[in-house]
Amino acid sequence: MKILVLNSGSSSLKFQLFDMTCHKVLYSGLIEQVRDHQQAIKTMVEKLSGQGHIRQLADLDAIGHRVVHGGECFKQPTLINQQTIEAIEQLIPLAPLHNPANLLGIKMARQYAPDIPQVAVFDTSFHAGLPDYACIYGLPYELYNKHHIRRYGFHGTSHHYVSKKAARFLQDYHNLEHPRLISLHLGNGASAAAIDNGQSIDTSMGMTPLEGLLMGSRSGDLDPAILFYLARETGADIQTLDDLLNKQSGLKGICAQNDMRLIIKQAEQGDKLSKLAIKIFCYRIKKYIGAYTAALNGADAIIFTGGIGENSAVIREQVCKNMNSLGIKLDKHKNQQASDNILELQSQTSKVKILVIKTNEELEIATQTYTAIRDPQ
Ligand code: ADP
């Protein structure tokens, strides 16, 4: 059972070929500077056939496509047909950068392999069941009806994957069922999710991936009136403000660097703004842990994932510092360990478990694709 996972971006095509009988990655590739998606798919097929995995796309059992925005239509992985494509097209205004690139990948793959099942797996669908009080903004309600303005949340595939792994682990090793989890996906993009018994009940990203935690170059939460102020004071137009908040802010805006490894290095060498950027990054995460502990009426475990969450002991330590009143106590020695498996970092007296779980969005997309073609809805 060979399933190809495609992540078609505006300037890159990422792909992984899985053998789902043994959950093994057969091939993993990245084609950058993609201007022509048709050429990119051809190059990908050449690479896969060069390795003897397939001769043509039609030899695959299925293709799973990552799609960023599923709006309110897509609550689960969905078999792709003309109707699915049209519905994803209708969602372009909600994700003008991502959905068109995802769609190009889908259309090309269907052109080359029209007869194999293809499945769209959405970044938003894990959060599709958020309660209304968590996803409706304090705006006139008609804006929700008319313009679909609400919290959708993203990184769903990652939060879903690590939360399932955490739940299995907590059941097997701690006899804990129906856990209340706070999942922290900390990479270039960063988000938190509150997960109650397998269901996402709140998440920090909003209608777009701009809200919430401080990120590599995105501001995360801020007072929206800052935008009106800037527009009035500087004459900045919408595109300039969009660029400012999405591309020039966050860690990069504060210390001119968005790579956390380098920021930590600069901070160790005494750079004040790098130190400040790390403090703001960790403090924002801490506040969300507090909020989600309240939303969940107590947390059983916190999960660190994403490039920063999985690899940075320094950041995990700062996030968990002075949280003992919430029952969160990190064991500094355990925090220095590294493993490809699940790590447990809490001290013996910590009420809340602190887990590090390596995310694997591609495997989750392959698994969901497999399930969707096996049990079509
Ligand atoms: P993306 O969101 O693009 O998938 P990743 O999840 O790969 O990104 O995370 C990238 C971030 O992880 C970068 O800021 C990088 O510096 C950071 N990172 C990776 N390894 C470490 C490490 N050992 N210490 C601190 N940060 C790290």
Side-chain angles (χ1 to χ4, degrees):
M1 168 64 73
K2 282 181 182 164
I3 293 185
L4 180 71
V5 171
L6 273 190
N7 183 350
S8 166
S10 55
S11 62
S12 71
L13 180 74
K14 274 197 221 164
F15 58 100
Q16 267 190 27
L17 180 64
F18 286 88
D19 182 345
M20 290 312 283
T21 28
C22 53
H23 284 216
K24 217 176 107 186
V25 179
L26 299 175
Y27 192 90
S28 180
L30 169 68
I31 299 165
E32 285 181 289
Q33 254 93 54
V34 172
R35 245 170 284 127
D36 181 346
H37 282 70
Q38 187 154 13
Q39 188 54 46
I41 297 260
K42 273 192 189 159
T43 310
M44 177 186 77
V45 174
E46 277 164 21
K47 289 189 182 209
L48 291 171
S49 58
Q51 297 283 320
H53 294 304
I54 51 166
R55 276 170 300 129
Q56 50 192 4
L57 273 195
D59 293 342
L60 293 163
D61 291 290
I63 300 178
H65 294 268
R66 176 192 182 213
V67 181
V68 167
H69 217 305
E72 291 195 298
C73 329
F74 295 108
K75 299 192 188 328
Q76 47 209 345
T78 306
L79 271 172
I80 297 174
N81 53 30
Q82 194 50 35
Q83 210 183 342
T84 322
I85 291 179
E86 282 165 19
I88 298 172
E89 269 166 357
Q90 300 231 315
L91 295 168
I92 287 176
L94 287 173
L97 293 179
H98 293 103
N99 274 25
N102 302 155
L103 273 165
L104 267 174
I106 291 175
K107 287 179 181 168
M108 287 300 140
R110 270 168 57 90
Q111 193 176 314
Y112 282 93
D115 297 324
I116 61 165
Q118 304 202 24
V119 175
V121 179
F122 300 89
D123 272 12
T124 46
S125 33
F126 183 54
H127 307 297
L130 291 190
D132 51 5
Y133 53 81
C135 70
I136 301 293
Y137 290 108
L139 293 166
Y141 192 76
E142 71 197 44
L143 292 183
Y144 167 56
N145 287 331
K146 252 198 210 157
H147 297 288
H148 316 288
I149 294 177
R150 53 160 282 184
R151 177 183 310 286
Y152 292 97
F154 299 85
H155 286 148
T157 314
S158 174
H159 289 303
H160 196 178
Y161 177 80
V162 296
S163 61
K164 280 192 288 187
K165 275 200 121 173
R168 231 171 286 140
F169 177 83
L170 293 169
Q171 182 161 40
D172 290 350
Y173 292 93
H174 294 283
N175 224 354
L176 225 163
E177 292 200 40
H178 315 301
R180 296 159 300 174
L181 304 170
I182 298 173
S183 170
L184 303 168
H185 178 108
L186 311 176
N188 269 318
S191 71
I195 298 156
D196 194 3
N197 190 18
Q199 303 293 316
S200 171
I201 62 150
D202 204 353
T203 191
S204 58
M205 283 178 168
M207 172 161 153
T208 77
L210 182 56
E211 193 181 343
L213 302 178
L214 192 81
M215 304 179 222
S217 66
R218 284 176 240 158
S219 64
D221 296 335
L222 45 73
D223 178 351
I226 292 169
L227 298 177
F228 322 139
Y229 177 82
L230 274 176
R232 276 196 301 264
E233 289 293 308
T234 68
D237 61 13
I238 290 176
Q239 192 48 50
T240 308
L241 293 172
D242 189 319
D243 193 69
L244 177 78
L245 263 56
N246 275 298
K247 299 200 178 129
Q248 311 298 335
S249 296
L251 295 166
K252 182 178 168 193
I254 295 160
C255 68
Q257 175 60 259
N258 64 358
D259 187 313
M260 187 54 94
R261 258 171 305 200
L262 297 176
I263 297 173
I264 293 171
K265 212 177 261 172
Q266 287 174 185
E268 283 166 358
Q269 288 161 356
D271 182 64
K272 281 196 179 128
L273 289 179
S274 297
K275 284 186 193 169
L276 177 63
I278 292 171
K279 277 189 193 159
I280 299 172
F281 182 79
C282 296
Y283 181 64
R284 192 75 68 86
I285 298 167
K286 191 189 272 273
K287 286 207 290 188
Y288 270 94
I289 292 175
Y292 289 171
T293 301
L296 290 162
N297 191 17
D300 295 305
I302 295 171
I303 308 164
F304 283 95
T305 193
I308 300 171
E310 290 162 24
N311 298 302
S312 178
V314 174
I315 298 296
R316 293 193 299 253
E317 184 176 336
Q318 279 213 27
V319 168
C320 295
K321 207 170 162 184
N322 296 334
M323 298 269 266
N324 37 354
S325 71
L326 294 185
I328 300 165
K329 288 190 214 163
L330 184 83
D331 181 314
K332 286 189 188 170
H333 177 68
K334 288 184 193 160
N335 188 34
Q336 298 301 326
Q337 299 168 339
S339 160
D340 265 351
N341 243 322
I342 297 182
L343 277 176
E344 241 185 309
L345 307 182
Q346 75 279 0
S347 71
Q348 288 215 324
T349 54
S350 181
K351 273 203 274 181
V352 180
K353 310 276 182 282
I354 304 170
L355 307 177
V356 178
I357 303 180
K358 202 170 158 50
T359 195
N360 192 338
E361 289 166 277
E362 288 79 13
L363 176 58
E364 182 61 24
I365 293 173
T367 308
Q368 295 196 14
T369 299
Y370 180 58
T371 311
I373 58 169
R374 203 190 43 195
D375 317 311
Q377 296 284 320

